[in-house]
Amino acid sequence: MMAWCRIHFNLNLSSPSDSALIPHTCHSHTPSSSSSSSLFRTTTRKISLSSAQRRSCVAVSSHMTMEEKPVSDNRMLVYVPPHPLIKHWVSVLRNEQTPCPIFRNAMAELGRLLMYEASRDWLPTVAGEIQSPMGVASVEFIDPREPVAVIPILRAGLALAEHASSILPATKTYHLGISRNEETLQPTIYLNKLPEKFTEGSKAFVVDPMLATGGTIVAALNLLKERGVSNKHIKVISAVAAPPALQKLSEQFPGLHVYTGIIDPTVNEKGFIIPGLGDAGDRSYGT
C-alpha cells in the first residue's frame, strides 16, 4: 500500500521588521506495511541567516502526519523527495573534490530525478486503445499537444535541465540569462527567449540550481507571470534552497510548487548558501 506523507514546515523569520509566518508543505510517497497506524516524530530546529542587510533567525518546526486531504491552492509547497539517489547526487555535488565533468553529470542526474518527481500527477494525458502483439490494450499517453515549457536559468540551470527531454515526451525549452551583481546581489536580465505570451493553461518548469537570496528566481517568475502563466502551473526545480529565497517565493507566489534536493540553513553576506555546494555555474563548466 502506498500512502502520502505530508510534512509541514513553518518558517518564522525574526528580523527588525517582523515577517509573517510562512507555511511550507512537503509531500512524499512512502510504503506502508500497516493500514491503521504510523508513528512520526516532531522536531524543531533553529537556523541562522546572514545577509548584507541583516542577521535573522529562522525557527523551523516540522511534523509529519498521514493524510489524504488535498492542500490549499493558496499555499506555497516545498518538496524534498526522500529518495536515496537524490541524497547521493546532492552529496556528490557538495564534495569540493568532485571534478567538473562529474559535477555536471551529478547536476544533470539530480535534475532528472527532481523533474520526474515534479511531473507526478501533473502532465496532461490522452487515453485510447492500441493493438499489442497479444491483443487490444487500453493505454494512456502524455498529450503531445501540450508541451511543458522548460526554462533553465543560465548558466548552471543548463546542467540541471539537461535530461528534461529524456523524461518529458513533449517539451519546449526557453532560455533565460540572469546574472547577479556580486555587491548588491540584485539580478540583471541579459537574455530573454520567452515568448511574448504563453497559451492559457501552459505548464512550466523553471530550473535554477541555487535558491539563495531569491532575487534571480523572483525575477524569472515575474517574467512568466507577465506572460500569462499562473503560479499553480509553475514548478521550480533546484538543487539546493535556503530560507531567504523560500521566504520571498512564499510571499509573492502563492500556489507555487518548489522541488529541491535539500534545504540548507544559511546564506552568507555574499549571498552564497552555506554549506551549499559553491558556485554551481563555475563548478559545472570549469570557468
Side-chain angles (χ1 to χ4, degrees):
M1 174 183 175
M2 299 295 288
W4 280 104
C5 291
R6 181 175 170 189
I7 309 172
H8 305 269
F9 290 91
N10 289 325
L11 276 69
N12 191 10
L13 187 59
S14 303
S15 65
S17 58
D18 290 332
S19 303
L21 189 67
I22 308 170
H24 299 278
T25 304
C26 300
H27 281 198
S28 62
H29 270 111
T30 57
S32 174
S33 58
S34 168
S35 60
S36 58
S37 63
S38 298
L39 179 65
F40 298 97
R41 181 173 299 172
T42 300
T43 61
T44 302
R45 60 193 175 97
K46 290 211 168 187
I47 298 173
S48 296
L49 299 181
S50 59
S51 64
Q53 292 78 19
R54 68 176 186 268
R55 287 191 173 272
S56 307
C57 180
V58 177
V60 179
S61 173
S62 66
H63 68 276
M64 186 183 290
T65 55
M66 300 298 291
E67 296 185 16
E68 293 185 357
K69 293 195 303 181
V71 182
S72 169
D73 288 341
N74 294 325
R75 172 176 292 185
M76 189 191 84
L77 305 183
V78 179
Y79 296 78
V80 182
H83 198 294
L85 284 174
I86 289 177
K87 296 176 183 177
H88 168 81
W89 292 118
V90 168
S91 299
V92 173
L93 292 170
R94 285 204 193 277
N95 187 354
E96 67 176 359
Q97 301 300 321
T98 299
C100 174
I102 296 176
F103 183 93
R104 188 166 61 248
N105 178 71
M107 188 69 79
E109 291 299 329
L110 178 61
R112 185 208 303 270
L113 293 166
L114 290 172
M115 284 185 281
Y116 172 83
E117 292 288 345
S119 61
R120 189 190 302 272
D121 301 324
W122 192 60
L123 300 176
T125 60
V126 290
E129 290 186 342
I130 61 169
Q131 180 70 44
S132 84
M134 304 304 293
V136 176
S138 297
V139 295
E140 196 170 345
F141 292 101
I142 301 301
D143 192 343
R145 298 168 297 180
E146 300 183 45
V148 176
V150 178
I151 305 166
I153 298 179
L154 307 185
R155 60 188 164 147
L158 291 173
L160 194 61
E162 183 175 334
H163 292 320
S165 61
S166 71
I167 61 169
L168 299 171
T171 63
K172 287 187 176 181
T173 301
Y174 304 95
H175 295 98
L176 269 181
I178 304 178
S179 61
R180 186 177 70 173
N181 185 295
E182 297 302 325
E183 294 183 0
T184 66
L185 304 183
Q186 295 303 306
T188 300
I189 300 168
Y190 64 87
L191 177 69
N192 181 358
K193 291 296 184 179
L194 297 176
E196 287 299 319
K197 200 75 175 176
F198 283 91
T199 58
E200 185 177 354
S202 292
K203 298 177 184 292
F205 280 145
V206 180
V207 185
D208 186 8
M210 311 301 289
L211 303 183
T213 63
T216 297
I217 190 64
V218 166
L221 295 182
N222 280 331
L223 290 174
L224 286 179
K225 192 173 181 179
E226 293 168 3
R227 287 159 172 77
V229 185
S230 67
N231 295 344
K232 67 179 181 179
H233 288 150
I234 300 173
K235 296 199 175 184
V236 175
I237 306 296
S238 76
V240 185
L246 298 180
Q247 166 97 17
K248 289 181 181 178
L249 292 175
S250 181
E251 291 174 345
Q252 300 183 39
F253 303 97
L256 182 71
H257 290 189
V258 177
Y259 283 75
T260 184
I262 197 165
I263 300 175
D264 274 357
T266 308
V267 174
N268 68 14
E269 64 279 359
K270 294 183 178 180
F272 282 92
I273 298 174
I274 305 297
L277 47 84
D279 189 307
D282 287 355
R283 296 192 67 195
S284 291
Y285 297 102
T287 56

